[in-house]
């Protein structure tokens, strides 16, 4: 059973009359404070602000329009702003949203470049998949699936997301690199990105151990300051794609936003409904369904919002906001917008309510004017935050019955496959399939919710028929 931890708010204080902001978000009831929520939102923004630069780079390979990078940056910021505000103001949870990594690569390299589908039609497929999310959320299907997942897998999903986050952090820091002989290997600790990340990791860990408020945020800012002052080449934008020292704010701190006129409303829903593209629509749907469902469930468990039955309050609304964000993002001209696992950084920094994700959404809106400031935070500064958050998300696995094979093996596969396949969706899928199979073939099939058997069958069909 996961319970929300009290962060220092006394019962007497909870009974104190709260202001409208506190009452709307339930801040005091969640054991938090307004400053803590704002700080957590800022932390979440810093850890996921890389998407402002990475998403345009990926999508620009598929979307050929004038001034593509800037227009895609703007539509990325708008989609992230809308998704985070919807989750914060309507669902009132600290889960930020933005165009998802992995799905943007599938959009660009597989669907558009590989299959020759026009990017407008691919956006239509994203819109339809988002609509399916909303429908399934409203009728309660997504909540029913989450409720059917056993607690051991819920704990494993949280831990798997933590392992995935840590792997992302190690990769962003250059500490884990591609190795032709062993698939992955240790990067160079003498490279600026590597040693700066190690310094940031130690600094942030010390601050956390000393229970300094906002330790993760202070670690990010301090590491960024070290990078700027030492002039180490850890920032993108150098010649031939090489890293460079902080170039300064060459275009000023404030830059006028550009409306992405060549992207907004360009989706072709009719074309995406063609029989030849149904597999694309359902691939978008399946991958994001289990990616987002796993992410939201893991984040909710970590934030203490799952009850003893594994249920999450306002689940229908929360899942609906995920689908709505995907639909809006497609209309604006970007690939699937979804819940971000980096929200865990804000949660670990104390964020417990929708004010955290609302803050993140406002900062994404501001980034359209102040995006050069976000460029002052290198990936080596946010990498330690992802590693530390990943470590802390492993805490729940001690409650898994590891001596029970039918519980331990699916949980282990869930945790391990997320970083190794670079997919939260794969981790959830492997866990669900093996859990159902082992229970069924050992005469314990009645311990599995019938809905989970249906889900497992659909997942098997997805890997068999939609693998490409």
């Amino acid at each position: 059973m996961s319970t929300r931890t009290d962060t220092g708010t006394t019962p007497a204080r909870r009974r104190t009359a709260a202001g409208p902001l506190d009452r709307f978000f339930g801040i005091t009831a969640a054991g938090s404070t307004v400053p803590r929520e704002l700080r957590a939102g800022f932390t979440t923004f810093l850890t996921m602000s890389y998407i402002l630069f990475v998403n345009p780079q990926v999508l620009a390979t598929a979307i050929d329009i004038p001034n593509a990078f800037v227009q895609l940056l703007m539509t990325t910021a708008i989609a992230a702003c809308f998704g985070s505000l919807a989750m914060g103001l309507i669902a009132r949870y600290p889960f930020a949203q933005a165009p998802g990594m992995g799905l943007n690569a599938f959009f660009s390299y597989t669907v558009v470049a590989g299959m020759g589908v026009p990017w407008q039609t691919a956006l239509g497929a994203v819109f339809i998949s988002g609509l399916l999310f909303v429908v399934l959320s409203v009728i309660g299907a997504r909540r029913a699936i989450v409720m059917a997942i056993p607690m051991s897998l819920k704990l494993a999903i949280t831990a798997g997301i933590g392992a995935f986050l840590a792997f992302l952090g190690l990769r962003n820091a250059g500490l884990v690199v591609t190795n032709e002989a062993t698939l992955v290997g240790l990067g160079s600790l003498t490279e600026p990105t590597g040693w700066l990340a190690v310094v940031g990791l130690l600094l942030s860990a010390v601050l956390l151990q000393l229970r300094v408020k906002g330790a993760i945020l202070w670690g990010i800012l301090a590491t960024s300051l070290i990078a700027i002052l030492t002039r180490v080449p850890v920032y993108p934008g150098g010649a031939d794609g090489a890293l460079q020292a902080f170039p300064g704010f060459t275009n000023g701190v404030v830059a006028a936003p550009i409306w992405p006129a060549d992207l907004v409303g360009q989706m072709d829903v009719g074309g995406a409904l063609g029989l030849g593209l149904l597999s694309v629509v359902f691939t978008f749907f399946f991958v994001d369904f289990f990616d987002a469902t796993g992410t939201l469930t893991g984040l909710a468990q970590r934030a203490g919002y799952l009850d003893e039955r594994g249920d999450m309050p306002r689940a229908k609304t929360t899942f609906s906001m995920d689908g709505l964000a995907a639909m809006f993002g497609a209309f604006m001209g970007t690939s699937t917008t979804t819940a971000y696992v980096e929200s865990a950084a804000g949660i670990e920094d104390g964020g417990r309510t929708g004010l955290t994700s609302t803050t993140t959404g406002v900062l994404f809106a501001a980034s359209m004017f102040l995006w050069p400031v976000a460029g002052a935070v290198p990936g080596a500064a946010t990498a330690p935050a992802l590693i530390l958050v990943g470590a802390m998300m492993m805490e729940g696995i001690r409650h898994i019955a590891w001596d029970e094979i039918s519980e331990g093996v699916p949980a282990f596969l869930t945790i391990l496959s997320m970083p190794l396949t670079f997919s939260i969706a794969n981790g959830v899928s492997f866990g669900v399939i093996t859990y159902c199979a082992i229970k069924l073939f050992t005469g314990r099939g009645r311990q599995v919710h019938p809905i989970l058997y249906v889900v497992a069958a659909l997942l098997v069909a997805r890997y068999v028929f939609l693998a490409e």
Side-chain angles (χ1 to χ4, degrees), residues 168-188:
L168 283 174
L170 291 168
R171 192 191 67 158
N172 293 346
L175 298 175
V176 171
V177 297
T178 301
N179 185 298
E180 291 185 2
T182 60
L183 298 183
V184 293
L186 177 66
S188 174

Side-chain angles (χ1 to χ4, degrees), residues 95-122:
F95 312 145
Q97 300 193 87
M101 290 296 295
L103 285 164
N104 56 6
F106 174 73
F107 179 100
S108 295
Y109 306 130
T110 301
V111 178
V112 177
M115 300 175 62
V117 176
W119 60 266
Q120 297 91 336
T121 306

Side-chain angles (χ1 to χ4, degrees), residues 362-446:
V362 170
L363 289 172
F364 270 114
S367 69
M368 291 189 289
F369 298 87
L370 301 172
W371 56 268
V373 175
V377 180
T382 58
L386 298 180
I387 296 170
L388 288 170
V389 169
M392 290 183 285
M393 292 182 73
M394 302 296 289
E395 180 267 341
I397 62 174
R398 59 193 174 96
H399 299 295
I400 297 174
W402 292 107
D403 57 341
E404 177 66 38
I405 295 297
S406 63
E407 299 283 336
V409 170
F412 176 74
L413 290 175
T414 299
I415 296 169
L416 192 65
S417 58
M418 285 190 191
L420 293 187
T421 66
F422 213 74
S423 169
I424 294 172
N426 283 339
V428 176
S429 301
F430 295 167
V432 169
I433 293 170
T434 55
Y435 183 86
C436 291
I438 295 174
K439 290 288 187 182
L440 181 63
F441 296 139
T442 56
R444 304 179 183 184
R446 292 182 179 275

Side-chain angles (χ1 to χ4, degrees), residues 21-250:
L21 189 67
D22 193 323
R23 289 194 299 270
F24 179 82
F25 288 108
I27 296 172
T28 300
S32 188
T33 64
V34 172
R36 186 180 299 143
E37 295 292 308
L38 296 176
R39 186 183 68 226
F42 188 39
T43 298
T44 297
F45 172 76
L46 286 179
T47 59
M48 60 187 289
S49 61
Y50 68 87
I51 198 62
L52 290 170
F53 307 98
V54 177
N55 194 53
Q57 291 173 355
V58 174
L59 294 184
T61 62
I63 299 177
D64 184 15
I65 56 175
N67 205 7
F69 184 86
V70 176
Q71 289 201 61
L72 285 166
L73 186 150
M74 292 300 158
T75 204
T76 300
I78 294 170
C81 171
F82 177 87
S84 299
L85 289 179
M87 193 65 76
L89 295 174
I90 302 177
R92 302 183 191 179
Y93 278 120
F95 312 145
Q97 300 193 87
M101 290 296 295
L103 285 164
N104 56 6
F106 174 73
F107 179 100
S108 295
Y109 306 130
T110 301
V111 178
V112 177
M115 300 175 62
V117 176
W119 60 266
Q120 297 91 336
T121 306
L123 287 175
V126 172
F127 182 87
I128 296 170
S129 68
L131 180 61
L132 289 174
F133 297 156
V134 174
V135 172
L136 289 178
S137 300
V138 170
I139 66 177
R142 289 184 74 173
R143 178 178 177 272
I145 292 173
V146 171
M147 288 290 293
I149 297 175
M151 183 54 72
S152 62
L153 285 186
K154 286 189 171 77
L155 294 172
I157 288 170
T158 303
I161 290 173
F164 184 59
L165 272 177
F167 182 74
L168 283 174
L170 291 168
R171 192 191 67 158
N172 293 346
L175 298 175
V176 171
V177 297
T178 301
N179 185 298
E180 291 185 2
T182 60
L183 298 183
V184 293
L186 177 66
S188 174
L189 296 176
T190 61
E191 290 293 325
T193 301
W195 69 253
L196 181 65
V198 171
V199 170
L201 178 64
L202 293 175
L203 176 62
S204 299
V206 169
L207 293 176
L208 281 170
Q209 180 62 42
L210 295 176
R211 303 191 183 282
V212 174
K213 292 183 178 179
I216 293 176
L217 174 59
W218 288 119
I220 293 173
L221 296 179
T223 307
S224 300
L225 184 61
I226 293 172
I228 293 172
L229 294 179
T230 57
R231 302 288 300 165
V232 290
V234 293
Y235 293 88
D240 298 324
L243 296 176
Q244 61 178 347
F246 181 61
F249 301 111
T250 55

